[in-house]
Amino acid sequence: MRFLTDRHGRLSFFRLSIVLGAVGLLLIAAGYTAFLFDQASRRQPLMLDLPDAAQPWGEPAVLSQSRQQLFFLVPGADADVVAAFYDQQMRAFYNSDPGDVSSLVSCERFPSSGAFADYDPQVNAPYFWKCVFDRSNFNALQYTEVTIQPGVPQTGSQDATVIRYDQRWQP
């Protein structure tokens, strides 16, 4: 405290302004450093937890320097159960109340009920779920779009659920 007073024992506004300026510069430097670390954390794909028994299916499809697609199979799992797993993950990711059914944070089913009009059980899936996990901000892109659908015989994924991660991040 003696540093902040002059030789007559009164508060020195000059010395006080030097201390406050130094504290301000430290806060600015800490904020800038935190911003740089935050930006650096978005320079990689956003990885999410997988459901139990999920296994990689094929090699990652690298579409560009900052985009890839990953495929997973969950043998014997129902697509709606896997979608419920990701729905819970979304609520935790966005800090949404799990008991709030009116929350806008949830996976979406396409079509909302039934099957697609052109559904052929041998060729395509009757429906799919889509969930988006997004950490983008301040010109820093990072998100993973999860697509969940029942497997189809044509792709060798029958009796399984197929999960696709479409990941984009800041290069």
Side-chain angles (χ1 to χ4, degrees), residues 6 12 19 26 42 49 58 70 79 128 143:
D6 61 12
S12 171
V19 168
L26 285 174
R42 287 165 170 66
D49 291 336
L70 306 171
F128 66 88
Y143 72 86

Side-chain angles (χ1 to χ4, degrees), residues 25 29 37 42 47 50 52 79 92 96 98 100 114 127 141 145-147:
L25 285 175
F37 278 119
R42 287 165 170 66
M47 295 307 294
L50 290 166
D52 292 338
S96 177
D100 184 10
Y127 61 90
L141 178 73
E145 180 181 279
V146 179
T147 305

Side-chain angles (χ1 to χ4, degrees), residues 27-104:
L27 288 174
I28 289 171
Y32 183 69
T33 302
F35 174 75
L36 290 178
F37 278 119
D38 181 65
Q39 294 293 313
S41 75
R42 287 165 170 66
R43 296 189 190 282
Q44 59 191 352
L46 175 61
M47 295 307 294
L48 305 169
D49 291 336
L50 290 166
D52 292 338
Q55 52 199 20
W57 189 36
E59 294 296 316
V62 178
L63 305 174
S64 73
Q65 173 186 354
S66 60
R67 183 177 179 202
Q68 71 180 2
Q69 288 183 343
L70 306 171
F71 292 89
F72 303 95
L73 276 181
V74 186
D78 180 54
D80 294 332
V81 172
V82 174
F85 169 81
Y86 281 102
D87 202 54
Q88 285 180 328
Q89 275 202 321
M90 273 185 78
R91 290 178 189 274
F93 184 82
Y94 290 111
N95 293 321
S96 177
D97 180 14
D100 184 10
V101 290
S102 66
S103 174
L104 297 176

